[in-house]
Amino acid sequence: VLNTVFLVQFQQNETPKTVAVKAFTDWAGYKWFPLALWTSGIQNFSIAGKERMSNEYSINRFLKRQGFPVPEIYHVSWKDKLLILEYLEGKSIDKVVQKVIRRGTISESEENLLRRVGGRIARVHRAGVALGDCKPENIILSNDGEIYHVDLEQASKAGNQVWDIAEFLYYSGLSAKPATPRVVIRRMSENFIKGYVDAGGSINNIRNVAAADYRRIFSPFLPLTTIEEVSKACEQVSA
């Protein structure tokens, strides 16, 4: 009953089609309201369904005009609070980082991908947008190798860019175990940071990720090794 995104498959001129349908019901407040309390003073979350839908639509259209790859919007129903969106064939960056952690090593291609993701987020930030919900699972590597941002309902032009970086880096190590080599977490973080800085992202944004307030928010959910290695990588960033 709390699901908000559905896949719809149908035939169009005898050709199979799949679209994503996103419903912005106020049930989602059960998800966002506790998070809004937990992150009070650091990150402000939109709770009402219409506000989240407005965020998703307006930021999607803005990023599209700026030349960023985002899912195409096929239909909008403000009355029913529904968006019908392009379904992207590919894999989330979350799957990539989980694979790295399970294996305990990171390949050159995976390092390159994380630098690309960091660079993409830096360019979004330079365009004046904070993504708001920048977990690795909300960034899709399409089958043709393009990077897409999805789930933009918390995005805004007045948001906290440091939160985007902190959420991506800390959540990248969510599945780490005590036996996971620390160097893996560090290398993932360093490659993302390099891509972010090389693309013109703010070094202060990176350094602020190591602040006590951000470590406090994520530490109940993450291994201590993740918190420590991400923080060190952010503290040691240089121009």
Side-chain angles (χ1 to χ4, degrees):
V1 70
L2 297 180
N3 281 353
T4 58
V5 182
F6 306 89
L7 293 183
V8 176
Q9 296 177 313
F10 59 96
Q11 296 280 336
Q12 185 178 50
N13 298 325
E14 300 185 354
T15 301
K17 297 286 186 179
T18 303
V19 296
V21 178
K22 189 165 184 178
F24 294 84
T25 66
D26 288 323
W27 278 107
Y30 286 95
K31 170 185 176 182
W32 293 116
F33 183 66
L35 284 174
L37 292 178
W38 182 255
T39 62
S40 178
I42 296 294
Q43 170 68 6
N44 296 319
F45 287 106
S46 300
I47 296 173
K50 286 186 177 179
E51 182 181 4
R52 298 194 326 276
M53 181 175 174
S54 177
N55 291 345
E56 179 116 22
Y57 178 81
S58 62
I59 296 299
N60 177 293
R61 295 295 82 196
F62 175 79
L63 292 177
K64 183 79 169 180
R65 291 194 299 271
Q66 298 297 312
F68 291 99
V70 290
E72 191 64 56
I73 296 177
Y74 296 135
H75 181 72
V76 181
S77 173
W78 294 103
K79 177 176 178 288
D80 297 315
K81 291 185 286 188
L82 294 174
L83 285 181
I84 300 179
L85 301 142
E86 175 186 7
Y87 172 66
L88 298 173
E89 297 280 356
K91 61 183 175 182
S92 69
I93 301 301
D94 181 54
K95 302 299 184 186
V96 176
V97 297
Q98 285 183 14
K99 182 179 178 181
V100 169
I101 288 173
R102 285 196 305 269
R103 196 174 61 234
T105 59
I106 183 168
S107 69
E108 183 178 351
S109 64
E110 290 160 342
E111 289 182 332
N112 290 337
L113 176 59
L114 288 172
R115 287 198 293 271
R116 287 181 61 202
V117 171
R120 174 59 55 78
I121 292 174
R123 287 187 282 274
V124 169
H125 285 175
R126 290 176 60 195
V129 170
L131 294 162
D133 192 12
C134 195
K135 298 188 296 293
E137 67 188 72
N138 288 338
I139 302 173
I140 304 297
L141 178 66
S142 69
N143 287 345
D144 61 2
E146 188 55 86
I147 294 172
Y148 286 80
H149 294 287
V150 300
D151 205 1
L152 297 170
E153 64 184 76
Q154 297 297 336
S156 73
K157 293 184 180 180
N160 182 354
Q161 295 181 356
V162 179
W163 173 264
D164 287 350
I165 303 165
E167 188 176 25
F168 183 90
L169 289 177
Y170 286 126
Y171 267 90
S172 291
L174 182 63
S175 60
K177 301 292 189 295
T180 300
R182 283 175 173 260
V183 68
V184 171
I185 306 298
R186 177 67 72 93
R187 291 298 295 159
M188 287 197 301
S189 300
E190 288 175 341
N191 278 281
F192 173 92
I193 291 168
K194 178 173 175 53
Y196 185 88
V197 173
D198 286 352
S202 166
I203 290 179
N204 285 335
N205 280 351
I206 297 292
R207 289 175 177 159
N208 287 337
V209 169
D213 283 343
Y214 290 95
R215 297 199 306 269
R216 169 188 63 81
I217 289 171
F218 291 100
S219 59
F221 316 109
L222 300 173
L224 178 60
T225 52
T226 295
I227 299 293
E228 290 178 344
E229 294 304 322
V230 169
S231 297
K232 289 176 183 176
C234 292
E235 289 170 341
Q236 294 172 8
V237 65
S238 59

